[in-house]
């Protein structure tokens, strides 16, 4: 920021009045010429009042032209002349000029002394206008000293006097100066108010000089706030006022401020052009002045932004020489800052740090928070460039953010905050970066003026947080870290991870019990010899010790305090651990374990003092993770087994696995394939053992429902009282013993296939409920009122003639039509005898895989093929399996090894009735026939007594009595 503009006053004495007027009008050249002409006459007596007046005018001219050393000399001569001649009229003006000249030299101590003397003299002589000027000069001195509070006090005093005198012109000038002080204080709102009021008063009295200066300051303030439209509007209005007043210096300031407006918008080339024009005008005014140093600083900033550090250094050095020459500490501080960055980027680290130090000294003395914030940014850049420790760089960015926040510079604050976040992210300080980002955002998570690059940075920060959380850097990611090893090494990897994370000496995972029995097996260990691990395992499973607990965690923070444990450990190792932690681990059903961790005196984490409570927390948590992982591994194994069995079952139940070369059966299977993906209900007819269940499974595993469940229910195997609850489910409290909700089998099959075997055996009461389900695809659990939507395909099977069953009222006609949109009949084995050899080979292959490799002779196959097989394929499989199991592996099975039933019919035909034994009574004959029929019925019913009794037309209780009488069983 520029120093306060000069507001010179004319000496009140009559001599040299014309020269005084020229100085007041800023006509420096004419004033200098007339002073030179009047010098000889005025200086004829160097100690006269006339000589003193001439010296004072000469001092004022040198002060206006920034020749402060000469101004001091002439002002001191004037002071000596006035004191000798005892003329008080000009003493106040002389002290004022001398104080401002010392201020130009940077000697604020002497400046303050002389300006204070001027104020005292004006007060003594009652010169109110002089008092106002002196207060303004005092404010200027305090302003340069960085004592902005004192500067504001003197300006307030001057304003009160000006208002009391109704001096609108001076009031406008003082308000403008007050606004500029507030601006450098960082009190931007107060500066805005004061400058706006000053501008309004200047316009009211048509003081275009003051109006132009205030508009320039308002434009610069808008630039700092990044209100660029407002800035351009104010600066354009200032240019109009400046040109109307014919001001040269203020026009140079206009171009300088326009350059900063372009610079803050990153329009580097336009900014350079504006600063060049400011530099040209500054050089026209004088050989060395503040306008030159300020324009050079702007050009150096532009070259630095464009990356031309050589040119930036040259311009900064040139501007610095001018600033030092004229005593501009603020500009010197800013130019040292630019020079430091240039030196750092050209690898001159020591010189860069020295320049930073000098910049800080200058700017701290001035106290401009905006320039101090830019200095903090520059310090961060220099430290980052020269590779200094990161904390210094981050602290500098934080300091800049604090200063910008105090100023209310939102855009600058956002930029430096995003830079601080990016630097922390680049250094892996993700948690700090996230905390900083959260603090930088507003409460609702938004941020005014946030750029697309900033949004991408914050998004990348979120991604890196996720990447860190899923990496080994996540100290809490206990469950996933150790499990990257092969399945067989997972426990070992887990133990290694535990030891590494704790810095422990020994870590052992022991299986304490397995299947309810004590085990003592070492599952995994790290850093532990086998004999030590086995000794700890033996100790853990010893029922007579009480130190190594297996029922709860135990923390021996110092083993010396546990004598028995210390003795156990001393017996098995030369160096006794200083601290031990043991935690039980649940390894799965009927399997418990123990995680043992210890630290020797030289362990990295022990440091001779043992484990801390935080270490205990970790071991307890990690033991739970090991238990969870163990359970999960078992579950994964079960899932793999289920999937393997599902795939195996699917392969076994595919259509190609249905063995036949019968043309009629092939035709049936071809028609079945056409409806596998349809949701239509299917009825499979056929005798017991013809493969209805196998065909139902083939339909399911060949359809789009193959990934869902196939549920099979034998309607004849469940009593009526249980069938309804099993099919449709039960609501809690529906009947005594229903202590929980239980889904039915239809719900279990949701999305899949439901197979109702022996549908003809279903009770009529259940048939009605099944009919409602088939019609609505909704079911209601027993005892419930809320229906449930179920998607299931129904396949049913029967060995009865359902048409006859309907005629006699045992099967509902409406249900029959719901179940039989598509019906297929499976031929009995006696109608497809050509398949018997194929089936024999298939069963022999299965048994051969079980280690029962035998073969059937041609005669045996012929006998088997000639049999009617009332039990169909199931009976054939049972016969083959029984015969093979009773034969030595590798043997050939002939007809003689087959069951007698294959020869009983032929023997009965060949034996005449008269050939019966003499003692073979009619009752014996009837019993033999009765026994034969019972056996045949049981075979056809697959061993199910209820079905066999129905075939024989007798009660099931009678059948059971006969079976007991004839020593028969279901097999």
């Amino acid at each position: 920021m520029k120093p306060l503009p000069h507001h010179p006053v004319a000496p009140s004495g009559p001599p040299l009045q014309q020269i005084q007027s020229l100085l007041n009008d800023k006509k420096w050249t004419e004033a200098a010429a007339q002073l030179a002409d009047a010098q000889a006459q005025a200086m004829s007596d160097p100690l006269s009042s006339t000589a003193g007046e001439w010296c004072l005018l000469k001092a004022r001219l040198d002060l206006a032209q920034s020749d402060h050393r000469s101004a001091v000399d002439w002002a001191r001569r004037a002071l000596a002349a006035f004191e000798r001649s005892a003329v008080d009229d000009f003493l106040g003006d002389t002290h004022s000029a001398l104080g401002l000249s010392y201020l130009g030299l940077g000697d604020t101590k002497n400046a303050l002394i002389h300006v204070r003397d001027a104020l005292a003299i004006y007060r003594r002589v009652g010169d109110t206008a002089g008092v106002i000027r002196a207060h303004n000069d005092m404010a200027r001195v305090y302003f340069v000293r960085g004592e902005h509070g004192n500067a504001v006090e003197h300006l307030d005093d001057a304003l009160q006097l000006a208002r009391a005198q109704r001096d609108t012109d001076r009031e406008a000038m003082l308000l403008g100066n007050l606004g500029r002080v507030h601006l450098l204080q960082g009190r931007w709102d107060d500066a805005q108010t004061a400058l706006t009021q000053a501008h309004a008063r200047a316009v009211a009295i048509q003081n275009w000089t003051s109006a132009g200066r205030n508009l320039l300051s308002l434009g610069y303030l808008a630039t700092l706030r990044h209100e660029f439209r407002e800035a351009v509007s104010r600066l354009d209005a200032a240019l109009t006022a400046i040109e109307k007043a014919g001001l040269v210096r203020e026009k140079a300031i206009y171009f300088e401020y326009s350059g900063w407006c372009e610079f803050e918008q990153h329009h580097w080339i336009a900014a350079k052009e504006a600063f060049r024009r400011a530099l040209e005008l500054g050089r026209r005014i004088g050989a060395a002045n503040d306008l030159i140093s300020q324009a050079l600083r702007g050009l150096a900033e532009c070259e630095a932004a464009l990356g031309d550090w050589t040119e930036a250094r040259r311009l900064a050095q040139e501007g610095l020489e001018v600033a030092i020459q004229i005593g501009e500490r603020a500009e010197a501080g800013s130019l040292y800052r630019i020079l430091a960055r240039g030196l750092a980027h050209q690898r001159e680290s020591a010189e860069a740090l020295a320049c930073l130090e000098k910049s800080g000294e200058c700017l701290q003395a001035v106290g401009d928070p905006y320039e101090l914030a830019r200095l903090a940014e520059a310090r961060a850049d220099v430290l980052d460039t020269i590779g200094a420790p990161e904390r210094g760089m981050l602290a500098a960015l934080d300091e800049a953010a604090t200063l910008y926040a105090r100023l209310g510079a939102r855009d600058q604050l956002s930029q430096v905050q995003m830079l601080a976040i990016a630097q922390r992210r680049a250094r892996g300080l993700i948690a700090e970066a996230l905390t900083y980002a959260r603090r930088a955002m507003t409460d609702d998570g938004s941020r005014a003026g946030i750029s697309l690059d900033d949004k991408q940075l914050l998004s990348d920060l979120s991604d890196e947080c996720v990447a860190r959380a899923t990496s080994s850097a996540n100290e809490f990611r206990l469950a996933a870290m150790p499990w990257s090893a092969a399945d067989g090494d997972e426990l070992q990897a887990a133990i290694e991870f535990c030891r590494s994370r704790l810095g422990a000496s020994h870590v052992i995972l022991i299986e304490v019990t397995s299947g309810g029995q004590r085990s003592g097996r070492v599952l995994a260990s790290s850093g532990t010899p086998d004999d030590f691990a086995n000794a700890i395992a033996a100790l853990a499973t010893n029922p007579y010790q009480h130190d190594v607990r297996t029922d709860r965690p135990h923390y021996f923070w110092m083993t010396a305090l546990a004598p028995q444990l210390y003795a156990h450990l001393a017996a098995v190792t030369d160096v006794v651990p200083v601290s031990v932690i043991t935690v039980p681990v649940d390894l799965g059903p009927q399997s418990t374990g123990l995680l043992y961790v210890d630290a020797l005196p030289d362990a990295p984490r022990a440091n001779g003092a043992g484990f801390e409570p935080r270490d205990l927390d970790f071991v307890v948590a990690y033991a739970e993770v090991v238990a969870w992982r163990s359970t999960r591994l078992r579950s994964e194994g079960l899932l793999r087994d289920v999937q393997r069995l599902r795939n195996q079952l699917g392969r076994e139940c595919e259509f190609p696995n249905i063995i036949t070369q019968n043309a009629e059966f092939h035709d049936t299977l071809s028609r079945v394939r056409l409806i596998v993906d349809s949701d239509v209900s299917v009825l499979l007819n056929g005798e017991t053992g013809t493969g209805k269940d196998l065909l139902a499974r083939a339909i399911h595993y060949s359809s789009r429902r193959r990934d869902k469940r196939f549920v099979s229910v034998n309607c004849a195997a469940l009593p009526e009282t249980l069938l309804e609850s099993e099919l449709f489910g039960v609501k809690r409290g529906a009947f005594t013993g229903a202590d929980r909700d239980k889904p039915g089998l239809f719900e279990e099959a949701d999305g899949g296939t439901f197979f109702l075997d022996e549908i003809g055996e279903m009770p009529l009461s259940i048939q009605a409920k099944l009919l409602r389900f088939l019609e609505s695809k909704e079911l209601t659990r027993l005892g419930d009122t809320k229906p449930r939507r179920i998607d299931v395909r129904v396949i049913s099977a029967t060995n009865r003639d359902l048409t006859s069953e309907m005629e006699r009222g045992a099967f509902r006609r409406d249900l029959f039509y719901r179940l039989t949109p598509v019906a297929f009949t499976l031929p009995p084995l006696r109608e497809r005898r050509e398949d018997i050899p194929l089936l024999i080979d298939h069963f022999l292959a299965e048994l051969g895989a079980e280690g029962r490799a035998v073969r059937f002779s041609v005669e045996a196959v012929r006998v088997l093929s000639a049999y009617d097989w009332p039990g169909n394929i199931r009976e054939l499989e049972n016969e083959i399996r029984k015969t093979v199991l009773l034969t030595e592996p590798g043997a050939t099975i002939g007809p003689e090894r087959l069951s007698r039933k294959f020869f009983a019919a032929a023997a009965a035909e060949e034996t005449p009735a008269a050939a019966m034994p003499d003692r073979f009574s009619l009752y014996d004959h009837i019993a033999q026939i009765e026994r034969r029929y019972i056996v045949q019925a049981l075979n056809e019913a697959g061993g199910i007594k209820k079905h066999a009794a129905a075939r024989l037309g007798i009660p099931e209780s009678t059948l059971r009595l006969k079976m007991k009488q004839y020593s028969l069983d279901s097999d």
Side-chain angles (χ1 to χ4, degrees):
M1 194 63 184
K2 316 299 178 298
L4 294 175
H6 299 291
H7 293 278
V9 294
S12 58
L16 305 175
Q17 186 68 40
Q18 187 176 358
I19 298 174
Q20 295 169 11
S21 299
L22 291 172
L23 289 175
N24 290 341
D25 294 338
K26 302 186 185 329
K27 297 179 179 179
W28 316 121
T29 304
E30 296 178 25
Q34 292 194 25
L35 273 173
D37 293 343
Q39 182 176 8
Q41 182 178 355
M43 296 299 293
S44 58
D45 182 2
L47 297 178
S48 66
S49 61
T50 302
E53 187 175 354
W54 188 94
C55 289
L56 176 58
L57 293 172
K58 175 62 174 165
R60 285 187 55 203
L61 177 62
D62 290 343
L63 184 60
Q65 293 181 334
S66 299
D67 190 352
H68 300 108
R69 180 63 61 189
S70 177
V72 167
D73 291 341
W74 289 111
R76 292 183 68 85
R77 290 186 187 184
L79 184 62
F82 291 137
E83 288 176 344
R84 178 68 178 272
S85 61
V87 176
D88 291 338
D89 292 345
F90 298 105
L91 278 176
D93 295 340
T94 304
H95 277 292
S96 177
L98 187 56
L100 294 177
S101 298
Y102 274 122
L103 182 63
L105 291 174
D107 187 352
T108 58
K109 180 179 179 180
N110 279 315
L112 187 60
I113 291 171
H114 287 286
V115 174
R116 186 182 290 123
D117 288 345
L119 177 60
I121 292 170
Y122 287 138
R123 281 174 173 165
R124 187 175 70 244
V125 300
D127 184 355
T128 303
V131 171
I132 293 173
R133 291 196 305 272
H135 275 304
N136 186 62
D137 291 342
M138 288 287 290
R140 184 172 180 180
V141 174
Y142 279 123
F143 178 80
V144 172
R145 286 165 64 96
E147 300 176 21
H148 297 131
N150 290 331
V152 170
E153 288 181 7
H154 281 282
L155 287 172
D156 285 341
D157 291 342
L159 273 169
Q160 289 180 9
L161 291 172
R163 286 166 179 158
Q165 297 290 318
R166 299 183 184 280
D167 190 343
T168 308
D169 194 5
R170 281 196 174 90
E171 183 183 358
M173 178 269 294
L174 292 169
L175 279 172
N177 290 344
L178 183 62
R180 281 176 275 277
V181 174
H182 286 326
L183 184 57
L184 289 187
Q185 280 183 297
R187 296 167 59 182
W188 288 356
D189 291 337
D190 292 339
Q192 180 85 24
T193 301
L195 290 169
T196 303
Q197 291 176 356
H199 175 63
R201 284 166 173 73
V203 171
I205 63 175
Q206 297 187 345
N207 185 339
W208 303 118
T209 299
S210 182
R213 288 170 178 165
N214 292 324
L215 284 169
L216 285 173
S217 297
L218 286 168
Y220 183 66
L221 176 57
T223 296
L224 295 180
R225 285 178 157 172
H226 283 200
E227 298 170 354
F228 298 117
R229 289 187 179 180
E230 176 73 10
V232 171
S233 175
R234 293 288 189 179
L235 292 174
D236 288 345
L239 181 60
T240 301
I242 289 167
E243 290 178 341
K244 185 179 293 187
L247 304 174
V248 177
R249 176 182 172 82
E250 281 69 16
K251 191 169 185 178
I253 296 174
Y254 161 78
F255 283 116
E256 180 196 344
Y257 286 0
S258 296
W260 289 120
C261 185
E262 297 290 351
F263 180 86
E264 291 295 328
Q265 297 178 79
H266 298 178
H267 302 160
W268 319 121
I269 304 304
K272 285 173 64 176
E273 181 59 30
F275 287 130
R276 283 196 187 98
R277 298 189 66 177
L279 181 60
E280 291 173 2
L281 289 173
R283 282 175 172 161
R284 288 181 196 173
I285 293 172
N289 57 68
D290 57 341
L291 296 174
I292 294 175
S293 64
Q294 291 161 6
L296 287 169
R297 175 166 69 95
L299 288 170
E301 291 274 30
C302 290
E303 296 299 344
L306 292 168
D308 189 347
W309 294 108
T310 301
E311 184 65 9
R313 281 183 59 183
R314 186 190 69 77
L315 290 167
Q317 188 64 51
E318 184 180 349
L320 182 61
E321 292 171 0
V322 175
I324 292 174
Q325 180 181 346
I326 63 176
E328 280 284 343
R329 300 183 73 179
E331 285 302 315
S334 298
L335 288 160
Y336 273 126
R337 181 192 73 224
I338 303 169
L339 196 57
R341 293 185 65 208
L343 290 166
H345 282 274
Q346 292 187 330
R347 305 305 179 202
E348 299 179 35
S349 303
E351 293 82 354
L353 293 174
C355 284
L356 274 182
E357 188 71 23
K358 293 178 181 178
S359 176
E361 292 174 0
C362 294
L363 294 177
Q364 286 290 348
V366 174
D368 182 352
Y370 188 78
E371 289 301 323
L372 288 172
R374 299 196 65 190
L375 172 62
E377 282 194 88
R379 185 182 300 112
D381 179 48
V382 170
L383 294 177
D384 186 35
T385 303
I386 67 177
E390 62 185 26
R391 283 301 169 187
M393 183 269 294
L394 295 176
L397 289 176
D398 294 345
E399 178 186 351
T402 300
L403 290 168
Y404 282 134
R406 193 175 301 160
L407 287 166
R410 290 176 60 85
D411 287 352
Q412 294 91 327
L413 173 62
S414 177
Q415 290 170 9
V416 76
Q417 284 177 332
M418 290 303 162
L419 180 59
I421 294 169
Q423 292 288 4
R424 283 172 166 82
R425 173 195 168 205
R427 286 158 177 75
L429 304 174
I430 304 300
E432 280 191 31
L434 185 61
T435 301
Y436 200 101
R438 185 180 290 110
R439 189 170 63 244
M441 304 302 289
T442 54
D443 291 340
D444 61 355
S446 64
R447 184 61 184 268
I450 190 168
S451 68
L452 292 176
D453 289 341
D454 294 341
K455 291 179 180 178
Q456 184 61 49
L457 170 63
L458 297 177
S459 176
D460 292 344
L461 184 61
S462 297
D463 293 341
E464 291 201 16
C465 289
V466 173
R468 178 184 175 84
T470 55
S471 72
S472 58
N474 181 359
E475 66 171 315
F476 299 107
R477 191 166 180 252
L478 307 179
M481 290 308 302
W483 313 110
S484 58
D487 290 345
D489 298 328
E490 281 199 359
L491 286 178
Q492 184 62 38
I495 297 308
E496 296 285 353
F497 175 78
C498 180
R499 182 183 175 216
S500 172
R501 179 62 62 88
L502 276 176
S505 300
H506 305 136
V507 180
I508 310 169
L509 180 62
I510 304 164
E511 184 182 57
V512 177
T513 63
S514 177
Q517 302 296 321
R518 290 190 174 271
S519 170
R521 184 163 61 100
V522 176
L523 299 178
S525 64
S526 176
T528 306
D530 290 343
D531 55 350
F532 180 79
N534 291 329
I536 297 299
L539 177 63
T541 54
N542 185 342
Y544 300 104
Q545 62 85 27
H546 301 286
D547 290 324
V548 180
R549 306 290 295 271
T550 60
D551 57 341
R552 64 179 179 85
H554 206 90
Y555 175 36
F556 300 96
W557 58 275
M558 184 178 292
T559 53
L561 298 178
Q564 292 184 355
L565 175 63
Y566 190 92
H568 281 301
L569 294 173
V572 296
T573 181
D574 295 333
V575 181
V576 179
V578 297
S579 189
V580 171
I581 296 173
T582 61
V583 180
V585 181
D586 184 0
L587 298 176
Q590 294 186 328
S591 180
T592 62
L594 184 75
L595 186 61
Y596 168 93
V597 182
D598 69 24
L600 298 177
D602 59 349
R605 285 289 300 277
N607 297 322
F611 290 124
E612 300 296 332
R614 179 178 174 84
D615 302 324
L616 173 64
D617 294 345
F618 171 81
V619 178
V620 171
Y622 194 66
E624 293 177 356
V625 172
V626 172
W628 167 81
R629 185 61 184 180
S630 176
T631 303
R632 180 172 177 177
L633 286 174
R634 291 172 181 265
S635 299
E636 289 174 352
L638 291 174
L639 286 174
R640 286 193 296 269
D641 290 343
V642 168
Q643 188 59 45
R644 177 178 54 79
L645 292 173
R646 185 191 296 273
N647 294 336
Q648 178 181 346
L649 182 60
R651 289 192 298 270
E652 291 176 353
C653 295
E654 290 177 347
F655 279 100
N657 290 304
I658 297 179
I659 300 171
T660 184
Q661 57 184 357
N662 180 268
E664 180 182 351
F665 199 21
H666 267 300
D667 181 62
T668 300
L669 295 177
S670 299
R671 288 184 288 117
V672 171
R673 286 192 181 94
L674 299 176
I675 53 90
V676 291
D677 284 326
S678 172
D679 291 335
V680 66
S681 298
V682 178
L683 176 66
L684 303 178
N685 289 297
E687 297 179 5
T688 298
T690 53
K692 298 186 292 296
D693 178 84
L694 179 60
L695 183 56
R697 293 178 185 274
I699 294 173
H700 171 76
Y701 286 105
S702 299
S703 72
R704 53 184 171 81
R705 296 176 179 266
R706 68 177 64 88
D707 293 328
K708 299 296 182 179
R709 289 195 60 184
F710 176 87
V711 177
S712 176
V713 172
N714 190 320
C715 298
L718 291 173
E720 181 178 353
T721 54
L722 292 180
L723 186 58
E724 180 178 3
S725 61
E726 289 296 320
L727 290 180
F728 300 101
V730 178
K731 181 177 175 58
R732 179 181 178 183
F735 50 78
T736 303
D739 57 348
R740 59 186 175 86
D741 290 347
K742 177 184 177 183
L745 294 175
F746 275 119
E747 289 183 64
E748 296 288 343
D750 190 18
T753 302
F754 198 91
F755 179 51
L756 288 166
D757 198 8
E758 302 296 346
I759 188 67
E761 305 290 338
M762 180 177 284
L764 285 171
S765 60
I766 308 300
Q767 291 180 30
K769 199 163 186 177
L770 175 61
L771 176 63
R772 287 195 300 272
F773 169 69
L774 294 176
E775 289 175 343
S776 64
K777 295 296 182 181
E778 291 183 346
L779 59 80
T780 304
R781 291 180 180 177
L782 188 63
D784 199 359
T785 58
K786 181 181 178 181
R788 302 169 189 271
R789 187 80 179 172
I790 303 297
D791 174 28
V792 66
R793 182 195 193 159
V794 176
I795 301 176
S796 53
T798 182
N799 60 4
R800 291 189 178 189
D801 183 359
L802 294 184
T803 303
S804 301
E805 296 293 316
M806 287 189 295
E807 293 298 333
R808 68 184 188 89
F811 199 83
R812 294 179 62 98
R813 189 175 299 273
D814 46 5
L815 177 60
F816 174 79
Y817 292 118
R818 279 288 179 186
L819 292 174
T820 58
V822 178
F824 300 100
T825 300
L826 279 65
L829 190 56
R830 60 182 174 275
E831 295 180 7
R832 38 186 283 229
R833 295 182 186 274
E834 63 272 31
D835 292 339
I836 294 176
L838 299 178
L839 292 170
I840 293 172
D841 290 342
H842 171 71
F843 295 139
L844 288 177
E846 286 185 345
L847 292 168
E850 299 174 5
R852 292 284 182 173
V854 298
R855 57 187 299 271
F856 276 70
S857 67
V858 176
E859 293 78 6
V861 172
R862 184 178 297 113
V863 171
L864 294 174
S865 300
Y867 186 62
D868 284 344
W869 299 104
N872 292 293
I873 300 173
R874 185 179 296 115
E875 184 183 2
L876 173 62
E877 181 181 8
N878 290 338
E879 183 64 31
I880 300 299
R881 185 174 295 276
K882 181 187 70 174
T883 304
V884 170
L885 290 175
L886 296 175
T887 304
E888 293 293 329
T892 299
I893 298 175
E896 69 281 358
R897 289 186 176 271
L898 298 179
S899 298
R900 294 183 179 181
K901 64 182 178 181
F902 300 112
F903 310 102
E909 292 178 359
E910 294 174 0
T911 304
M916 289 188 295
D918 294 338
R919 295 184 179 182
F920 195 77
S921 67
L922 176 61
Y923 293 107
D924 292 332
H925 185 71
I926 293 173
Q928 187 180 40
I929 296 173
E930 189 175 52
R931 185 180 190 279
R932 185 186 307 159
Y933 273 96
I934 290 173
V935 170
Q936 181 176 345
L938 286 170
N939 284 332
E940 292 177 354
I944 299 174
K945 301 179 184 67
K946 182 178 180 180
H947 295 180
R951 287 179 174 275
L952 294 170
I954 60 176
E956 185 177 347
S957 58
T958 303
L959 176 63
R960 292 180 183 276
L961 182 62
K962 293 290 185 180
M963 291 175 63
K964 185 175 181 181
Q965 178 182 346
Y966 298 134
S967 300
L968 297 175
D969 56 36
S970 298
D971 294 332

